[in-house]
Structures are given as structure tokens and as C-alpha cells.
Amino acid sequence: MAAQPPPARFNFARHLAELNAARGDKAAYLDDAGAVTYGELARDARRVAGALTALGLRREERIFLALHDTLDYPRMFLGALAAGVVPVCANTLLTVDDYAYMLAHSRAQALFVSGALVPTLVQALARAAHEVRHVIVSRPMGELPAGSVESAAWLAAAQPAADFAPTGPDTIAFWLYSSGSTGRPKGTVHTHGNLYWTAETYGRHVLALRESDVVFSAAKLFFAYGLGNALTFPLSAGATTLLMAERPTPPAVFKRLREVRPTVFFGVPTLYAAMLAHPELPARDEVALRLCVSAGEPLPKDIGERIGARFGCDVLDGIGSTEMLHIFISNRAGSVRYGTTGTPVEGYEVQLRGEDGGPVADGEIGDLYIRGPSAALLYWDDNAKSRATFQGEWTRSGDKYVRGADGYFTYAGRTDDMLKVAGQYVSPFEVEAALMRHEAVLEAAVVGKQEQGLTRTLAYVVLKPGRDASDALAAALQAFVKDHLAPHKYPREVRFTAELPKTATGKIQRFKLREHSER
């Protein structure tokens, strides 16, 4: 049954508080330092809203969240929504220059920053072409910067807001910056209604979280994928969420899987690959997983099958985007087809279009367009890119896909990454997936290299621990691809590398590899 639209007066923070009013004593969040119940979370959100108002912040003004995944993140995010103030969610692994750009671009009036990030953000504040009026530090690790306050004291002194801001489903709620896999991040503007719709579509029809679930997302809250995983979906279902402030290395993830025993885990393909390659990978009886999810980049067939076999659960691969807020094509529990992205999520319509803008036949590569209720409004202060991406009711994803006769979609690469070799299109992802089926390969990325006006495929390969690079192995990998794909698709050159350049969300930055290939 299709979800009912939210009412004309709608605040997502109020919506969650009302949904969970009877769960006051149930744990909403756990982290390494403690826990917060649903009742405490609702109270704290109202306190944050009151404190923001006391600072003089007005509706629709921005605040900047440079926070690790701790209990303060949902408090501050929901408190801002409750006040009608707009949180700008920032990647916690950026450079000083990146933060300076974002602070100025968003014209944030207040900065909420984790103690470990204070040195970097202090430098960014000094460089930003904009003055931030207030700095609130979460879990400080030393002396507070001049003029700043500590978040716990700031919150304790606040009077709760009398009510939630009278927003509507189309009111601007928050920003997310795109991951920057293709250059300068873009400020993507989302509404209160967008959060609701992702919960009512993907959250309800694909995840089907239970109140008894313990949810753990290695993808962080600043990431569109992570925000849904660790906030929108579990809070909409009354589940408990485990937060982890540190980087999601395999040992850090394994520790939580063993000790807290979450039932639903969200990862990205690079993490799943690293987990499989790690000697401490937990056995099935050491974990309590009933479902794993993957997004960020397509999940290679072999990795999905091996994780599923190891943990005894399905791994649901899907595609979402910052622009659409979460996943709109996905596999489903009980009907997973590894190596595909699945079928459209209920509530979304997708089209594959050719170079002429018309539809392509099943089996042919086309540009992916999406229509659905969670699309962003625009990229802030960037009309040209907004018009190129948000085309009426449709959002242009920038991805190439193939639809099979059975309705399942298979990733073919980013539009900007597609290669034309000997007059025929080659999907870098298809070649990468073939390479990763080889027993020696941990990761691979394929780009085009220009030589005498012609495009040659170049593969960058990360080997598994204990495997040594050699010309013989490079030749063996080329032959391996020829055995599994059409001959013209094999990489003309193989370069071994210790690691691939990636964004903080795990996406491979192929533009950096292309730059490197010309050296």
C-alpha cells in the first residue's frame, strides 16, 4: 500500500518524537561513552532547539556539524530541525581548505565540532571568508578555543523550546555536501519531507526494520547513506542504533559485531572487501546479523556472495545518491541477485535514456534518471549544475546502467568514466568486477589512458596481502579478463598500487587516477 503523504504542517523531529512517545525508556542510541533513551533524545532535541534560539539563530539559518558519530550528533541534528534551523552535515575527514570553503559557502552561523577536530576547524575558521558567530565543542580533548563553549554545559543550561518550529514537508531541513568524487563538493539541499519519504519507501519496503533490531552503520552520519541508516530508518521503527566515532577499520567493526551483536549492518564494498581479507573476520556464530546492506559503489558479485555465506544472511546491494537522499534501486531479502543492483524501490520510477534522450532497450547501456519523492531541491548557489541534474520531476544520476529482461538493473559505470575502445563502449566497472574475481586481487579501478589520440584501458590493481606484483601476474590478469569478457575489454596495461584514492565515503576517485595515468 502506498504511503500517505505527510501533513501540511510537518516537522520531522516532531514526527519522530510522536512516533516514539511510548518508547521513552528504550535505548535509541549507544556509543562508546554511554546511551540515550528515546525519551531523553526527544528532551535533548527540544533543549538544543531552545539553546539555538537563545543564541539568536533564526529559522532557515545554517549551523555547521563537524561531528563524529557520537550521541551528540542525533541530538544536534534533530534539535536543529526542531528549531527550524538548518544543519549542514560535514565530512569529518576533510582538509582545512575544504572546511574553509564549506563554512563560507554555507554561511553557517554556528559550528558544532568534535574535540578531535578542533585544531583543523580552528584553522578553517581563520581562513574562511565568513565569520562564524558561535563555536560549540563536543567532548573536548584539551583547552577550548577562545570564545567557544562545551556542548554538555551548553545543553544543560538551556531551556527547552516550547514547541517545534511550524515547518512543512517542503521546508528546507538540512544540507549534505556531495562526496567530491568528481571535484568540488556541492551543497545539496533537502527538506523535512524528504526524510519522511525515504523512511516510507526504502526504509519500510526494503529494510523492514523491527523494534527489536540493533542497527550498526559503518557509513557515517554525514553521508546520505549513513544518515538514513543510523537516524531516519531506526528512529522511524523504534530500533536501537550503535554509533562508532572512530574510522570503520575491519578490527573496529569486528569488535562491535562481536560485543554488541547488532542485527543489521550497513557497509560499503571497500569495507566488505577489507573485512574478507582480514584474518580476524568473525565466524557466523560470533555475530547476530540477520541482514547486511551495501551502497556507495556497486558490490562485486564475489564479495556479496562471500559475506553472505560467512554471516549467513543476505547482503542487499543498492544505489542511492546525495541528490535522492537514499537508495532508490535495491535488491530485496530473499531475492538477491549478486552482481546486480536490484529493482526500483516502491515509490520511485527509473528510466534509462540513450544519447538522443529516448529510452533504450533492455540489454543496452543507458543514462539513469530517477523520479521520486525524496529528490533534493537544488545545489546551493549553483544554478548551472542544479539545472543539469534536477530536470523537472526527474533527477539525472550521472550513472550508466543496463536493465535485464527480468527487470534487474546492472551498473555499467559513471557517465564521465565510460570508455570507447576500438569504437565500442567499455564499462570500467565491468572490467573491475572481472579483475576482482581473480584470487590475487583485493581492489581494482579502470580508467582510460590517451595515447596518440586513442583510448587504452588502464587497470590499477591492489593485491591481497601476501601476493607480490610482477609482470607475469599482470599478464595473467589480462588473460583472466579476456577469458571472462569480450576480448576488446581487457586492460591494455596493469599497474599495481598499494591503495586507490577514495573519498571519505569509500568512493574511488577515478579523476585522480586519470590524472596519474598521464604521468
Side-chain angles (χ1 to χ4, degrees), residues 284-500:
R284 183 185 302 190
D285 62 2
E286 293 182 278
V287 302
L289 294 171
R290 69 172 186 85
L291 187 67
C292 288
V293 180
S294 181
E297 286 201 309
L299 181 69
K301 183 175 186 289
D302 176 64
I303 292 176
E305 290 174 341
R306 291 168 61 199
I307 286 287
R310 181 73 174 198
F311 293 147
C313 65
D314 285 330
V315 185
L316 307 186
D317 187 26
I319 180 175
S321 67
T322 304
E323 291 77 10
M324 295 303 295
L325 188 55
H326 214 274
I327 292 171
F328 48 82
I329 299 176
S330 181
N331 278 276
R332 309 299 201 281
S335 59
V336 173
R337 296 194 186 180
Y338 291 112
T340 78
T341 308
T343 58
V345 172
E346 185 171 337
Y348 294 89
E349 183 180 352
V350 300
Q351 290 183 355
L352 297 184
R353 302 179 186 176
E355 293 180 359
D356 62 357
V360 301
D362 286 351
E364 295 183 5
I365 294 175
D367 291 306
L368 178 66
Y369 286 74
I370 314 100
R371 178 163 64 185
S374 62
L377 296 177
L378 73 160
Y379 298 130
W380 189 262
D381 201 22
D382 198 333
N383 187 49
K385 289 182 179 176
S386 294
R387 288 165 64 91
T389 298
F390 305 106
Q391 301 179 6
E393 293 184 321
W394 294 89
T395 299
R396 179 178 179 271
S397 72
D399 295 292
K400 296 278 193 182
Y401 263 85
V402 175
R403 182 184 184 273
D406 57 2
Y408 277 70
F409 286 74
T410 301
Y411 183 70
R414 292 287 296 175
T415 299
D416 293 342
D417 294 331
M418 291 296 290
L419 307 173
K420 205 163 193 179
V421 179
Q424 302 179 75
Y425 275 115
V426 174
S427 162
F429 179 74
E430 185 181 19
V431 183
E432 292 162 8
L435 284 165
M436 290 180 65
R437 291 169 66 184
H438 192 279
E439 62 179 5
V441 176
L442 177 63
E443 293 183 295
V446 173
V447 297
K449 180 182 179 182
Q450 299 300 314
E451 287 188 357
Q452 298 180 334
L454 300 174
T455 300
R456 288 163 48 89
T457 45
L458 165 60
Y460 287 89
V461 173
V462 179
L463 296 175
K464 291 179 179 176
R467 303 304 295 253
D468 296 323
S470 66
D471 291 342
L473 180 55
L477 293 176
Q478 290 172 314
F480 185 81
V481 174
K482 285 183 181 180
D483 287 342
H484 289 82
L485 300 177
H488 73 277
K489 296 181 180 181
Y490 87 95
R492 270 49 172 191
E493 181 181 351
V494 175
R495 295 184 188 178
F496 297 104
T497 182
E499 61 182 2
L500 298 174

Side-chain angles (χ1 to χ4, degrees), residues 16-79:
L16 291 180
E18 292 175 347
L19 278 180
N20 296 298
R23 300 187 179 99
D25 295 331
K26 185 179 189 292
Y29 284 99
L30 313 171
D31 74 3
D32 290 340
V36 61
T37 66
Y38 273 99
E40 291 166 340
L41 182 63
R43 177 206 66 196
D44 290 348
R46 294 275 288 271
R47 281 190 177 277
V48 169
L52 290 171
T53 301
L55 289 179
L57 271 80
R58 297 169 294 182
R59 281 186 55 185
E60 300 180 13
E61 288 188 316
R62 271 82 65 194
I63 62 172
F64 198 84
L65 303 187
L67 293 169
H68 287 135
D69 281 20
T70 67
L71 301 180
D72 267 350
Y73 205 118
R75 286 181 181 124
M76 301 307 173
F77 183 87
L78 294 174

